Amino acid sequence: MERIIDETDELRAVALQLAEDDAAAFTSVTDAYKLPKDTDEAKDARSAAIAKALGGAAKPPTEVIAAALVAVKFAEELLPIGNRNVITDVAAAEAARAAATTARVNVEINLGGIKDEKIRAELVAEAARVDDIANRAEQVTAAVRKEITK
C-alpha cells in the first residue's frame, strides 16, 4: 500500500503538470492563429506555425492518456487488497476513464491541422489506447458495485 500511495502521489503531480502544459500548448495554438496572413509568405509561415502548435497541443493529451492508464492499473491493483470500508474510492477509475476519453477528443481535434504523417500515426495510435482504458475502468467499477451489494 505504501508503494501505491507514493506512486499515486507522483501521478497526481504529473497530472497537475499536464494541466499546465495543456494550457500553455493551447496558448501557442491561439498565438499561431493570430499571426498575419496578408502575404503569401506570411500565410505560409502562419500555416507552418499552426501545424507546429497543433502538434505540440496534442502532446499533453497523449500524456494524459498514459497517466489515465497508470491510474486504472492502480485501481485494478487496489481492488482485491483495498480496505472494504473505502472500496468505492477504487471506482475513481471512472475519473481516469473520463480523463482518457476527453484527452482522446483533444488529440483528435488537433489531427486535422497536423500534416506530418508520422506524427499523425503516433497520435492516432495513442488515441486508440483509450478504448482499452475505458473498458478496464468499467470492469473495475463493475467489480466495486458488485462488492458493495454483498
Side-chain angles (χ1 to χ4, degrees):
M1 291 301 279
E2 287 181 35
R3 177 190 57 80
I4 292 172
I5 290 168
D6 290 343
E7 290 180 17
T8 53
D9 284 345
E10 289 175 23
L11 184 60
R12 180 179 36 247
V14 166
L16 292 171
Q17 183 61 54
L18 287 173
E20 290 180 25
D21 294 348
D22 188 58
F26 181 74
T27 298
S28 294
V29 171
T30 59
D31 289 348
Y33 275 104
K34 292 176 185 175
L35 291 173
K37 52 184 176 178
D38 52 344
T39 67
D40 287 342
E41 186 177 282
K43 286 178 188 175
D44 290 344
R46 179 178 178 269
S47 291
I50 290 170
K52 182 178 179 181
L54 289 173
K59 187 173 189 234
T62 60
E63 292 175 1
V64 167
I65 292 168
L69 176 58
V70 171
V72 170
K73 287 179 180 180
F74 283 132
E76 291 169 336
E77 191 174 346
L78 285 169
L79 189 60
I81 64 170
N83 183 325
R84 293 293 157 228
N85 294 322
V86 291
I87 193 67
T88 56
D89 290 351
V90 176
E94 290 299 326
R97 179 197 337 211
T101 57
T102 302
R104 173 175 51 195
V105 173
N106 284 328
V107 169
E108 292 169 344
I109 193 84
N110 291 314
L111 287 175
I114 298 171
K115 306 303 180 204
D116 184 310
E117 289 302 317
K118 180 181 177 195
I119 293 171
R120 284 180 60 81
E122 290 170 1
L123 293 172
V124 167
E126 286 298 313
R129 298 173 59 194
V130 173
D131 288 334
D132 178 57
I133 294 166
N135 289 334
R136 290 170 72 171
E138 185 176 352
Q139 290 173 4
V140 168
T141 300
V144 168
R145 293 182 74 209
K146 183 176 179 182
E147 183 65 29
I148 63 176
T149 60
K150 287 183 179 177

